[in-house]
mmCIF file of all heavy atoms in Angstrom:
data_model
loop_
_atom_site.group_PDB
_atom_site.id
_atom_site.type_symbol
_atom_site.label_atom_id
_atom_site.label_comp_id
_atom_site.label_asym_id
_atom_site.label_seq_id
_atom_site.Cartn_x
_atom_site.Cartn_y
_atom_site.Cartn_z
ATOM 1 N N VAL A 145 10.350 19.117 -6.199
ATOM 2 C CA VAL A 145 9.817 19.744 -7.373
ATOM 3 C C VAL A 145 8.610 20.575 -7.043
ATOM 4 O O VAL A 145 8.112 21.374 -7.899
ATOM 5 C CB VAL A 145 9.534 18.680 -8.415
ATOM 6 C CG1 VAL A 145 10.751 18.073 -8.971
ATOM 7 C CG2 VAL A 145 8.618 17.618 -7.914
ATOM 8 N N LYS A 146 8.117 20.367 -5.869
ATOM 9 C CA LYS A 146 6.905 21.208 -5.434
ATOM 10 C C LYS A 146 7.001 21.226 -3.878
ATOM 11 O O LYS A 146 6.740 20.286 -3.176
ATOM 12 C CB LYS A 146 5.558 20.543 -5.805
ATOM 13 C CG LYS A 146 4.325 21.364 -5.646
ATOM 14 C CD LYS A 146 4.115 22.239 -6.882
ATOM 15 C CE LYS A 146 2.845 22.884 -6.871
ATOM 16 N NZ LYS A 146 2.490 23.669 -8.094
ATOM 17 N N PRO A 147 7.389 22.385 -3.410
ATOM 18 C CA PRO A 147 7.727 22.443 -1.889
ATOM 19 C C PRO A 147 6.455 22.397 -1.045
ATOM 20 O O PRO A 147 6.527 21.847 0.053
ATOM 21 C CB PRO A 147 8.399 23.814 -1.750
ATOM 22 C CG PRO A 147 8.066 24.537 -2.917
ATOM 23 C CD PRO A 147 7.842 23.582 -4.027
ATOM 24 N N PHE A 148 5.290 22.815 -1.579
ATOM 25 C CA PHE A 148 4.182 22.833 -0.682
ATOM 26 C C PHE A 148 2.877 22.848 -1.553
ATOM 27 O O PHE A 148 2.691 23.810 -2.334
ATOM 28 C CB PHE A 148 4.202 23.930 0.252
ATOM 29 C CG PHE A 148 2.992 23.989 1.289
ATOM 30 C CD1 PHE A 148 3.027 22.985 2.290
ATOM 31 C CD2 PHE A 148 2.015 24.889 1.154
ATOM 32 C CE1 PHE A 148 1.964 23.011 3.312
ATOM 33 C CE2 PHE A 148 0.985 24.882 2.111
ATOM 34 C CZ PHE A 148 0.989 23.911 3.141
ATOM 35 N N ILE A 149 1.949 21.813 -1.398
ATOM 36 C CA ILE A 149 0.684 21.891 -1.963
ATOM 37 C C ILE A 149 -0.311 21.973 -0.748
ATOM 38 O O ILE A 149 -0.394 20.935 -0.018
ATOM 39 C CB ILE A 149 0.387 20.676 -2.842
ATOM 40 C CG1 ILE A 149 1.327 20.650 -3.913
ATOM 41 C CG2 ILE A 149 -1.068 20.799 -3.460
ATOM 42 C CD1 ILE A 149 1.206 19.383 -4.805
ATOM 43 N N ALA A 150 -1.002 23.035 -0.542
ATOM 44 C CA ALA A 150 -1.899 23.155 0.574
ATOM 45 C C ALA A 150 -3.143 22.186 0.440
ATOM 46 O O ALA A 150 -3.514 21.848 -0.734
ATOM 47 C CB ALA A 150 -2.484 24.544 0.647
ATOM 48 N N MET A 151 -3.564 21.643 1.541
ATOM 49 C CA MET A 151 -4.661 20.609 1.529
ATOM 50 C C MET A 151 -5.824 21.151 2.405
ATOM 51 O O MET A 151 -6.044 20.717 3.549
ATOM 52 C CB MET A 151 -4.184 19.231 2.044
ATOM 53 C CG MET A 151 -3.152 18.673 1.083
ATOM 54 S SD MET A 151 -2.338 17.214 1.819
ATOM 55 C CE MET A 151 -3.645 16.098 1.982
ATOM 56 N N PRO A 152 -6.614 22.080 1.870
ATOM 57 C CA PRO A 152 -7.613 22.712 2.681
ATOM 58 C C PRO A 152 -8.942 21.905 2.715
ATOM 59 O O PRO A 152 -9.077 20.986 1.948
ATOM 60 C CB PRO A 152 -7.896 24.000 1.958
ATOM 61 C CG PRO A 152 -7.604 23.681 0.523
ATOM 62 C CD PRO A 152 -6.471 22.686 0.501
ATOM 63 N N GLY A 153 -9.765 22.258 3.659
ATOM 64 C CA GLY A 153 -11.118 21.764 3.621
ATOM 65 C C GLY A 153 -11.533 20.643 4.488
ATOM 66 O O GLY A 153 -12.816 20.397 4.607
ATOM 67 N N ALA A 154 -10.686 19.871 5.145
ATOM 68 C CA ALA A 154 -11.085 18.788 5.981
ATOM 69 C C ALA A 154 -11.294 19.243 7.416
ATOM 70 O O ALA A 154 -10.721 20.252 7.866
ATOM 71 C CB ALA A 154 -10.006 17.727 5.958
ATOM 72 N N PRO A 155 -12.029 18.525 8.200
ATOM 73 C CA PRO A 155 -12.293 18.848 9.549
ATOM 74 C C PRO A 155 -10.942 18.523 10.402
ATOM 75 O O PRO A 155 -10.085 17.803 9.767
ATOM 76 C CB PRO A 155 -13.364 17.864 10.063
ATOM 77 C CG PRO A 155 -13.244 16.726 9.148
ATOM 78 C CD PRO A 155 -12.860 17.295 7.811
ATOM 79 N N LYS A 156 -10.813 18.987 11.508
ATOM 80 C CA LYS A 156 -9.691 18.672 12.423
ATOM 81 C C LYS A 156 -9.611 17.255 12.555
ATOM 82 O O LYS A 156 -10.524 16.534 12.955
ATOM 83 C CB LYS A 156 -9.840 19.414 13.728
ATOM 84 C CG LYS A 156 -8.591 19.118 14.691
ATOM 85 C CD LYS A 156 -8.908 19.629 16.111
ATOM 86 C CE LYS A 156 -10.001 18.853 16.742
ATOM 87 N NZ LYS A 156 -10.319 19.171 18.087
#
Side-chain angles (χ1 to χ4, degrees):
V145 292
K146 193 84 169 183
F148 185 72
I149 303 175
M151 297 169 65
K156 180 189 71 177

